[in-house]
Amino acid sequence: MSASYFKDFETVQFEGRDSTNPFAYRYYDKDRVVLGKRMEDHLRMAVCVWHTFCWPGSDVFGAGTFDRPWHRGANDADAARSKREAALAFVEKLDLPFYCFHDVDVMADADGIGAFRKSFAEAVDHLEELQAKHGRKLLWGTANLFSNPRYMAGGATNPDPEVYAWGASQVRDCLEATHRLGGANYVLWGGREGYDTILNTEIGVELDNFGRFLNLVVEHKHRIGFEGTILIEPKPHEPTKHQYDFDTQSVFAFLQRYGLENEVKVNIEANHATLGGHSFEHELAMARTFGILGSVDANRGDYQNGWDTDQFPNSVEEWTLAMLEVLRAGGFTDGGFNFDAKVRRQSIDAEDLFHGHIGGVDTIARGLLRAAEMIEDGALEDFRRDRYGDWSGSLGTMIHDKGTSLADIADYAVKHDLDPQRRSGRQEWCENIVARTRS
Ligand code: XUL
Ligand code: CO
């Protein structure tokens, strides 16, 4: 039932910015070399299985609208198989290199820990075949420790150690599966690792258990020889009122507290950044600064809505600023851009899945071209460097010297009768550079 789902669609190809074909890329030209690297290698784009193949188009007020063939009955072995086949076929039709999944996205429903493990193992065998058949790779795998009612009070932060142990079983299996499938990263998004009210929550116990869990995951990664990166995905809230992995700065503090700052990086999601009261580029810049920029979940929120709308990226300006940060960070090593995005509930046709992804791919590709243009032009980078240039002068060096005290610096100011002159930050000039970029 699934092999035919995309039969009316050709593989999407680059046709250039003058193309009128809605099923072509206008900016994403995978072999084009930008700043010394092929576009495909810069962007490492991935399709996510959950929004694109599992979500039926339901919302809190209404049932699914999509009528995908694999959703017509129970999520049994046949349906799960069809869904996997459709997913990998779709990634190939888009000619993108990667996909991402949660354990529960790719398997048939199963009750009980033994049946769950068996069902997931069957899915992984099949995914291995499908990856070879369609020539696609796994950007990351992750275990879903938030949907099943057992996780209502969290996985690794649950008051009940039996739930914690169930979560350990899922994560062990999913990490090993990711390793076997050649995944480049392993993600942990702690959707329910937080609280709904402090009245019933021992934050200290929960954080320590969470830190221990992450240490155990890292230990297991090394034990099995997985060389990919372990990533935490920050989000401030939803479904919990407060999620412990609130944003990149909170995650970095958490990693330092539990001794993991050299082991774990972040998977930054655009919509999570804005939910946290930050811009997308703020989160990327913060991760770059701490040296923990791992990967990105590509999507966007809505300026009016205060929840995770997970729409496809469509703002070239936002993605220009984002790509500037990714390039400043030196680009991805294991990471990439995963479309953690879903078409709207009224976009019910197979072709809508193409429009969503094609638009997102081109927005990101154009952001890359524009950011590369700004880097090559150099004016913005030069201005920023010059702005801090005095820090390599004599006073800056003296301040940084470990032997210098607060009093030494204060005495310097008094002795030289310092009267610093104000210098423009040239914000509008900087913004005009972005707006005038031609690519
Ligand atoms: C939820 C979210 C997740 C993670 C993976 O907001 O972004 O889909 O990306 O669990
Ligand atoms: Co995400």
Side-chain angles (χ1 to χ4, degrees), residues 2-219:
S2 64
S4 56
Y5 192 64
F6 298 111
K7 71 175 181 332
D8 298 334
F9 301 90
E10 302 294 324
T11 302
V12 181
Q13 288 178 338
F14 172 73
E15 290 185 8
R17 61 199 298 169
D18 295 329
S19 170
T20 54
N21 175 5
F23 296 99
Y25 296 124
R26 283 157 175 67
Y27 295 92
Y28 181 62
D29 180 4
K30 67 175 185 177
D31 292 320
R32 175 168 170 186
V33 174
V34 179
L35 297 176
K37 202 152 104 177
R38 288 172 65 249
M39 251 192 185
E40 185 180 68
D41 300 332
H42 265 290
L43 302 176
R44 297 168 56 82
M45 291 200 253
V47 171
C48 87
V49 176
W50 53 100
H51 287 318
T52 298
F53 294 94
C54 301
W55 180 56
S58 54
D59 67 14
V60 281
F61 293 97
T65 52
F66 290 161
D67 191 32
R68 314 267 190 238
W70 51 90
H71 283 151
R72 286 181 192 150
N75 183 34
D76 59 14
D78 285 345
R81 193 173 178 83
S82 296
K83 187 171 32 166
R84 292 188 295 265
E85 283 168 356
L88 272 289
F90 181 64
V91 189
E92 187 176 3
K93 289 262 164 161
L94 289 175
D95 198 17
L96 298 181
F98 292 104
Y99 73 112
C100 297
F101 66 78
H102 298 86
D103 48 4
V104 299
D105 302 339
V106 292
M107 58 185 265
D109 292 344
D111 282 335
I113 203 158
F116 186 98
R117 298 190 70 206
K118 185 162 170 285
S119 174
F120 181 54
E122 280 165 17
V124 174
D125 287 344
H126 188 213
L127 287 173
E128 192 167 41
E129 285 167 30
L130 289 170
Q131 287 185 189
K133 176 176 168 199
H134 294 282
R136 306 296 120 178
K137 294 176 287 186
L138 180 62
L139 185 64
W140 48 261
T142 186
N144 178 324
L145 268 55
F146 47 88
S147 295
N148 190 289
R150 105 175 39 88
Y151 295 118
M152 68 180 187
T157 61
N158 202 291
D160 182 349
E162 291 193 6
V163 177
Y164 191 101
W166 231 103
S169 170
Q170 270 184 257
V171 172
R172 176 185 60 178
D173 288 348
C174 197
L175 181 57
E176 291 181 2
T178 300
H179 181 37
R180 178 175 147 204
L181 294 170
N185 307 270
Y186 183 83
V187 165
L188 296 114
W189 171 60
R192 297 201 191 269
E193 315 299 357
Y195 60 78
D196 293 325
T197 173
I198 292 179
L199 290 173
N200 65 12
T201 306
E202 279 295 356
I203 291 176
V205 173
E206 294 202 355
L207 284 175
D208 283 351
N209 287 340
F210 200 19
R212 166 126 180 93
F213 195 86
L214 195 54
N215 266 289
L216 293 169
V217 172
V218 168
E219 200 179 288

Side-chain angles (χ1 to χ4, degrees), residues 285-307:
M286 214 42 102
R288 164 172 71 77
T289 301
F290 298 140
I292 57 167
L293 176 56
S295 199
V296 171
D297 270 8
N299 61 15
R300 77 174 203 271
D302 178 291
Y303 290 124
Q304 277 76 48
N305 292 343
W307 66 87

Side-chain angles (χ1 to χ4, degrees), residues 50-51 102 140 187 189 233-235 267-270 272 296-299 308 310 338-341:
W50 53 100
H51 287 318
H102 298 86
W140 48 261
V187 165
W189 171 60
E233 184 172 323
K235 186 176 182 181
N267 182 40
I268 306 277
E269 178 165 321
H272 295 179
V296 171
D297 270 8
N299 61 15
D308 200 8
D310 284 339
N338 163 49
F339 287 104
D340 191 353

